[in-house]
Amino acid sequence: MVGVTKRLPRFFIASVARRYVAGKDIESAVNVMRKLSSEGACFTIDVLGEDILNLDETQSLMDEYDRVLDAIVDNNLDANMSIKPTAFGLLIDEEKAYENIERLLRNAAENDIFVRLDMEDHRVTQPTIDIVLAMHAKGLRNVGTVLQSRLLRTADDIDTICDQLGGAADFRICKGVYLEHESISLTEYSTIVSAMNAHIDQILDRSAYAGVASHDWPVIKHTLSALEARGMGPDNPDPRDGCAENRNGKGLGYEFQMLLGVRGNIRRRLAKEGHRTRIYVPYGERWYEYSMRRLDENPDVAMHIVKSIFMPWTNRR
Ligand code: FDA
């Protein structure tokens, strides 16, 4: 499936990608977000770019993120930002990557905007967590990471981060798109779903913020019951002891997150019930490389896309 998909002409890939990528520039992304605001959604904006070859490339990315910040403020968007640490130089020069990320966080903090560090493959799991802890230690609390439930280490990572950050810990929890080796990762769908549900419970019980990133009904259903069991929900101020107060642009201790173009019907239903729903909005010149890399990392993505084209009822925009 991946092989066939990758041999499709670029114009065809472009027409499919249009559903999942907001365009080449921030103006296109703003237009997409304006339209989707009417569906009760908020956003996280991601500039496509990762696996850079030299540090010069980080500068144009930093400039682009400055434009994103301006666009959020100028257009009064209910949005925060997602970044990939490797695109800021993490695998080339760690010190420089820290400097770049700190600069971005300080600019974002001036406007009370949150920044999420996306989680990439296992080579950068610990370095990414370390960045979040180091930035909090510098007083920059507008940052949180993503953890991947397929990784065997994740329950320990939740505890370590919560031990250090208390109620200021803020997670996006997802299954993890990178297919890692079985020595460090679960590989079966059912065990990954069970692990993700357990991680959601753990995050909620540690009074941390839970960004539940999944389009999978068993995970969403579990989250809804877990919230109800803890007295959390659309109309309830977060009742957990030690939770952070005044999280600008956040929900009542939790939110649901979905990718642009995926399972809009479930997202709209959650929003209608009053839950905070966030759409991940990627944009950028490098949409083609991004799409191809997602296929390489996880062949299921090709399957989802083919299903969306030929069985559109399985994935409503
Ligand atoms: P599952 O894979 O079972 O999908 C359920 C259904 O959703 C599918 O049947 C299909 O209909 C639809 N679907 C899911 N993914 C689709 C896709 N790509 N295209 C079309 N349809 C799709 N991973 C990571 O390693 N690091 C990260 O930082 C992030 N960040 C992130 C942010 C957000 C907002 C989301 C929603 C996801 C991520 N992920 C991620 C990806 C995540 O780890 C996971 O790979 C995908 O969300 C797919 O898992 P689901 O739980 O959605 O279930």
Side-chain angles (χ1 to χ4, degrees):
M1 192 66 78
V2 174
V4 171
T5 312
K6 289 182 87 169
R7 261 180 258 124
L8 292 170
R10 201 177 160 106
F11 77 84
F12 183 78
I13 301 280
S15 70
V16 175
R18 215 167 287 138
R19 172 179 178 147
Y20 304 104
V21 177
K24 286 186 180 171
D25 49 32
I26 184 64
E27 288 76 22
S28 320
V30 169
N31 286 336
V32 167
M33 288 183 278
R34 280 222 184 95
K35 281 190 198 128
L36 287 170
S37 301
S38 63
E39 298 183 358
C42 62
F43 308 95
T44 190
I45 308 172
D46 171 62
V47 181
L48 299 177
E50 55 203 291
D51 279 352
I52 55 163
L53 299 173
N54 62 66
L55 278 177
D56 295 340
E57 289 181 60
T58 62
Q59 191 50 53
S60 61
L61 188 70
M62 301 278 294
D63 295 344
E64 191 59 36
Y65 269 104
D66 286 344
R67 281 191 277 278
V68 173
L69 262 179
D70 290 344
I72 293 175
V73 175
D74 294 347
N75 294 283
N76 202 15
L77 292 171
D78 188 352
N80 61 36
M81 303 190 289
S82 284
I83 66 169
K84 294 206 164 40
T86 61
F88 283 72
L90 187 59
L91 285 173
I92 299 175
D93 180 340
E94 200 167 296
E95 204 176 314
K96 189 72 192 154
Y98 268 66
E99 252 175 54
N100 290 339
I101 292 171
E102 184 174 342
R103 210 202 93 195
L104 179 76
L105 290 182
R106 287 197 187 283
N107 290 344
E110 278 173 23
N111 295 291
D112 216 357
I113 289 174
F114 183 83
V115 179
R116 176 77 61 196
L117 304 192
D118 283 350
M119 188 54 86
E120 301 168 82
D121 67 53
H122 69 277
R123 292 172 301 166
V124 290
T125 309
Q126 191 59 48
T128 301
I129 293 171
D130 290 343
I131 295 172
V132 171
L133 297 177
M135 296 300 156
H136 274 257
K138 285 178 181 237
L140 288 161
R141 292 162 68 97
N142 59 329
V143 62
T145 191
V146 178
L147 293 178
Q148 299 154 326
S149 288
R150 72 169 63 240
L151 291 189
L152 301 176
R153 57 179 288 165
T154 292
D156 289 340
D157 288 336
I158 294 171
D159 276 338
T160 308
I161 295 170
C162 289
D163 286 347
Q164 294 202 37
L165 305 186
D170 185 324
F171 299 98
R172 177 194 297 153
I173 183 82
C174 64
K175 289 179 184 160
V177 75
Y178 306 87
L179 301 184
E180 303 285 8
H181 190 266
E182 60 186 23
S183 58
I184 58 165
S185 169
L186 300 169
T187 53
E188 298 291 327
Y189 167 80
S190 59
T191 53
I192 295 170
V193 170
S194 300
M196 183 157 176
N197 289 343
H199 294 146
I200 291 165
D201 291 346
Q202 190 184 352
I203 291 170
L204 294 176
D205 287 338
R206 295 294 313 248
S207 299
Y209 193 82
V212 177
S214 177
H215 319 90
D216 200 13
W217 186 241
V219 173
I220 295 168
K221 199 168 141 217
H222 173 85
T223 307
L224 292 170
S225 322
L227 292 170
E228 198 182 351
R230 290 162 181 79
M232 298 172 73
D235 306 316
N236 307 345
D238 193 341
R240 298 170 302 162
D241 285 340
C243 66
E245 286 168 17
N246 300 328
R247 287 185 156 114
N248 185 45
K250 298 272 178 171
L252 298 165
Y254 73 95
E255 64 189 38
F256 290 96
Q257 303 187 352
M258 297 196 187
L259 301 173
L260 180 67
V262 181
R263 295 255 163 128
N265 52 334
I266 298 182
R267 175 178 49 73
R268 283 186 290 274
R269 184 167 135 197
L270 290 167
K272 220 170 182 177
E273 289 167 5
H275 302 285
R276 191 156 176 85
T277 56
R278 189 178 300 280
I279 306 177
Y280 187 97
V281 178
Y283 83 89
E285 291 284 344
R286 293 169 69 179
W287 62 269
Y288 184 78
E289 293 78 0
Y290 170 83
S291 311
M292 291 301 116
R293 211 163 19 247
R294 295 288 88 82
L295 292 181
D296 280 336
E297 282 155 7
N298 190 337
D300 288 351
V301 174
M303 196 60 211
H304 292 325
I305 291 169
V306 169
K307 246 173 68 189
S308 296
I309 297 168
F310 295 107
M311 298 158 67
W313 59 90
T314 63
N315 178 11
R316 302 235 166 77
R317 206 185 283 247

PDB file of all heavy atoms in Angstrom, residues 17-32:
ATOM      1  N   ALA A  17      -3.347  15.520  -0.025  1.00  0.00           N
ATOM      2  CA  ALA A  17      -2.711  16.219   1.103  1.00  0.00           C
ATOM      3  C   ALA A  17      -3.490  17.459   1.511  1.00  0.00           C
ATOM      4  O   ALA A  17      -3.452  17.866   2.673  1.00  0.00           O
ATOM      5  CB  ALA A  17      -1.273  16.601   0.745  1.00  0.00           C
ATOM      6  N   ARG A  18      -4.196  18.064   0.525  1.00  0.00           N
ATOM      7  CA  ARG A  18      -4.945  19.287   0.822  1.00  0.00           C
ATOM      8  C   ARG A  18      -5.907  19.105   2.004  1.00  0.00           C
ATOM      9  O   ARG A  18      -6.218  20.033   2.716  1.00  0.00           O
ATOM     10  CB  ARG A  18      -5.740  19.697  -0.431  1.00  0.00           C
ATOM     11  CG  ARG A  18      -5.826  21.192  -0.574  1.00  0.00           C
ATOM     12  CD  ARG A  18      -6.318  21.596  -1.950  1.00  0.00           C
ATOM     13  NE  ARG A  18      -5.322  21.404  -2.994  1.00  0.00           N
ATOM     14  CZ  ARG A  18      -5.575  20.905  -4.206  1.00  0.00           C
ATOM     15  NH1 ARG A  18      -6.786  20.517  -4.531  1.00  0.00           N
ATOM     16  NH2 ARG A  18      -4.618  20.796  -5.092  1.00  0.00           N
ATOM     17  N   ARG A  19      -6.334  17.894   2.182  1.00  0.00           N
ATOM     18  CA  ARG A  19      -7.248  17.627   3.293  1.00  0.00           C
ATOM     19  C   ARG A  19      -6.519  17.657   4.648  1.00  0.00           C
ATOM     20  O   ARG A  19      -7.092  18.018   5.663  1.00  0.00           O
ATOM     21  CB  ARG A  19      -7.860  16.247   3.059  1.00  0.00           C
ATOM     22  CG  ARG A  19      -8.677  15.761   4.206  1.00  0.00           C
ATOM     23  CD  ARG A  19      -9.268  14.409   3.890  1.00  0.00           C
ATOM     24  NE  ARG A  19     -10.024  13.947   5.035  1.00  0.00           N
ATOM     25  CZ  ARG A  19     -11.111  13.214   4.962  1.00  0.00           C
ATOM     26  NH1 ARG A  19     -11.576  12.853   3.795  1.00  0.00           N
ATOM     27  NH2 ARG A  19     -11.720  12.833   6.056  1.00  0.00           N
ATOM     28  N   TYR A  20      -5.233  17.264   4.633  1.00  0.00           N
ATOM     29  CA  TYR A  20      -4.484  17.076   5.890  1.00  0.00           C
ATOM     30  C   TYR A  20      -3.477  18.192   6.185  1.00  0.00           C
ATOM     31  O   TYR A  20      -2.947  18.268   7.278  1.00  0.00           O
ATOM     32  CB  TYR A  20      -3.738  15.736   5.853  1.00  0.00           C
ATOM     33  CG  TYR A  20      -4.649  14.553   5.597  1.00  0.00           C
ATOM     34  CD1 TYR A  20      -4.697  13.935   4.349  1.00  0.00           C
ATOM     35  CD2 TYR A  20      -5.481  14.080   6.615  1.00  0.00           C
ATOM     36  CE1 TYR A  20      -5.542  12.861   4.116  1.00  0.00           C
ATOM     37  CE2 TYR A  20      -6.334  13.013   6.381  1.00  0.00           C
ATOM     38  CZ  TYR A  20      -6.360  12.404   5.133  1.00  0.00           C
ATOM     39  OH  TYR A  20      -7.207  11.351   4.908  1.00  0.00           O
ATOM     40  N   VAL A  21      -3.150  18.985   5.145  1.00  0.00           N
ATOM     41  CA  VAL A  21      -2.160  20.058   5.314  1.00  0.00           C
ATOM     42  C   VAL A  21      -2.863  21.357   4.916  1.00  0.00           C
ATOM     43  O   VAL A  21      -3.540  21.417   3.890  1.00  0.00           O
ATOM     44  CB  VAL A  21      -0.926  19.815   4.403  1.00  0.00           C
ATOM     45  CG1 VAL A  21       0.067  20.958   4.524  1.00  0.00           C
ATOM     46  CG2 VAL A  21      -0.253  18.496   4.757  1.00  0.00           C
ATOM     47  N   ALA A  22      -2.702  22.409   5.749  1.00  0.00           N
ATOM     48  CA  ALA A  22      -3.514  23.613   5.559  1.00  0.00           C
ATOM     49  C   ALA A  22      -3.054  24.496   4.404  1.00  0.00           C
ATOM     50  O   ALA A  22      -3.717  25.474   4.084  1.00  0.00           O
ATOM     51  CB  ALA A  22      -3.535  24.421   6.852  1.00  0.00           C
ATOM     52  N   GLY A  23      -1.933  24.172   3.776  1.00  0.00           N
ATOM     53  CA  GLY A  23      -1.454  24.986   2.661  1.00  0.00           C
ATOM     54  C   GLY A  23       0.032  25.219   2.795  1.00  0.00           C
ATOM     55  O   GLY A  23       0.696  24.604   3.636  1.00  0.00           O
ATOM     56  N   LYS A  24       0.544  26.137   1.947  1.00  0.00           N
ATOM     57  CA  LYS A  24       1.995  26.358   1.945  1.00  0.00           C
ATOM     58  C   LYS A  24       2.416  27.478   2.891  1.00  0.00           C
ATOM     59  O   LYS A  24       3.573  27.584   3.251  1.00  0.00           O
ATOM     60  CB  LYS A  24       2.446  26.729   0.533  1.00  0.00           C
ATOM     61  CG  LYS A  24       2.455  25.549  -0.415  1.00  0.00           C
ATOM     62  CD  LYS A  24       3.059  25.962  -1.734  1.00  0.00           C
ATOM     63  CE  LYS A  24       3.065  24.788  -2.686  1.00  0.00           C
ATOM     64  NZ  LYS A  24       3.449  25.172  -4.038  1.00  0.00           N
ATOM     65  N   ASP A  25       1.474  28.371   3.219  1.00  0.00           N
ATOM     66  CA  ASP A  25       1.894  29.521   4.028  1.00  0.00           C
ATOM     67  C   ASP A  25       0.903  29.800   5.161  1.00  0.00           C
ATOM     68  O   ASP A  25      -0.187  29.230   5.211  1.00  0.00           O
ATOM     69  CB  ASP A  25       2.071  30.768   3.143  1.00  0.00           C
ATOM     70  CG  ASP A  25       0.863  30.975   2.253  1.00  0.00           C
ATOM     71  OD1 ASP A  25      -0.255  30.624   2.696  1.00  0.00           O
ATOM     72  OD2 ASP A  25       1.011  31.468   1.119  1.00  0.00           O
ATOM     73  N   ILE A  26       1.320  30.700   6.048  1.00  0.00           N
ATOM     74  CA  ILE A  26       0.508  30.984   7.241  1.00  0.00           C
ATOM     75  C   ILE A  26      -0.847  31.583   6.855  1.00  0.00           C
ATOM     76  O   ILE A  26      -1.850  31.328   7.521  1.00  0.00           O
ATOM     77  CB  ILE A  26       1.277  31.886   8.255  1.00  0.00           C
ATOM     78  CG1 ILE A  26       0.464  32.107   9.542  1.00  0.00           C
ATOM     79  CG2 ILE A  26       1.727  33.197   7.660  1.00  0.00           C
ATOM     80  CD1 ILE A  26       0.193  30.885  10.363  1.00  0.00           C
ATOM     81  N   GLU A  27      -0.895  32.336   5.747  1.00  0.00           N
ATOM     82  CA  GLU A  27      -2.180  32.920   5.342  1.00  0.00           C
ATOM     83  C   GLU A  27      -3.193  31.804   5.044  1.00  0.00           C
ATOM     84  O   GLU A  27      -4.355  31.875   5.442  1.00  0.00           O
ATOM     85  CB  GLU A  27      -2.021  33.813   4.092  1.00  0.00           C
ATOM     86  CG  GLU A  27      -1.313  35.134   4.342  1.00  0.00           C
ATOM     87  CD  GLU A  27       0.201  34.975   4.501  1.00  0.00           C
ATOM     88  OE1 GLU A  27       0.755  33.957   4.015  1.00  0.00           O
ATOM     89  OE2 GLU A  27       0.826  35.858   5.119  1.00  0.00           O
ATOM     90  N   SER A  28      -2.723  30.751   4.353  1.00  0.00           N
ATOM     91  CA  SER A  28      -3.647  29.631   4.061  1.00  0.00           C
ATOM     92  C   SER A  28      -4.089  28.984   5.362  1.00  0.00           C
ATOM     93  O   SER A  28      -5.266  28.617   5.528  1.00  0.00           O
ATOM     94  CB  SER A  28      -2.976  28.549   3.208  1.00  0.00           C
ATOM     95  OG  SER A  28      -2.169  29.111   2.237  1.00  0.00           O
ATOM     96  N   ALA A  29      -3.149  28.814   6.294  1.00  0.00           N
ATOM     97  CA  ALA A  29      -3.494  28.169   7.569  1.00  0.00           C
ATOM     98  C   ALA A  29      -4.524  29.014   8.327  1.00  0.00           C
ATOM     99  O   ALA A  29      -5.479  28.474   8.903  1.00  0.00           O
ATOM    100  CB  ALA A  29      -2.235  27.954   8.405  1.00  0.00           C
ATOM    101  N   VAL A  30      -4.341  30.342   8.307  1.00  0.00           N
ATOM    102  CA  VAL A  30      -5.296  31.219   9.010  1.00  0.00           C
ATOM    103  C   VAL A  30      -6.693  31.064   8.395  1.00  0.00           C
ATOM    104  O   VAL A  30      -7.700  30.970   9.108  1.00  0.00           O
ATOM    105  CB  VAL A  30      -4.823  32.696   8.970  1.00  0.00           C
ATOM    106  CG1 VAL A  30      -5.928  33.642   9.441  1.00  0.00           C
ATOM    107  CG2 VAL A  30      -3.570  32.876   9.821  1.00  0.00           C
ATOM    108  N   ASN A  31      -6.747  30.996   7.059  1.00  0.00           N
ATOM    109  CA  ASN A  31      -8.058  30.830   6.410  1.00  0.00           C
ATOM    110  C   ASN A  31      -8.736  29.535   6.844  1.00  0.00           C
ATOM    111  O   ASN A  31      -9.931  29.508   7.136  1.00  0.00           O
ATOM    112  CB  ASN A  31      -7.904  30.823   4.876  1.00  0.00           C
ATOM    113  CG  ASN A  31      -7.635  32.224   4.377  1.00  0.00           C
ATOM    114  OD1 ASN A  31      -7.983  33.202   5.043  1.00  0.00           O
ATOM    115  ND2 ASN A  31      -6.993  32.335   3.224  1.00  0.00           N
ATOM    116  N   VAL A  32      -7.951  28.454   6.893  1.00  0.00           N
ATOM    117  CA  VAL A  32      -8.512  27.165   7.307  1.00  0.00           C
ATOM    118  C   VAL A  32      -9.034  27.270   8.745  1.00  0.00           C
ATOM    119  O   VAL A  32     -10.142  26.827   9.058  1.00  0.00           O
ATOM    120  CB  VAL A  32      -7.433  26.058   7.192  1.00  0.00           C
ATOM    121  CG1 VAL A  32      -7.863  24.788   7.905  1.00  0.00           C
ATOM    122  CG2 VAL A  32      -7.122  25.767   5.725  1.00  0.00           C
TER     123      VAL A  32
END
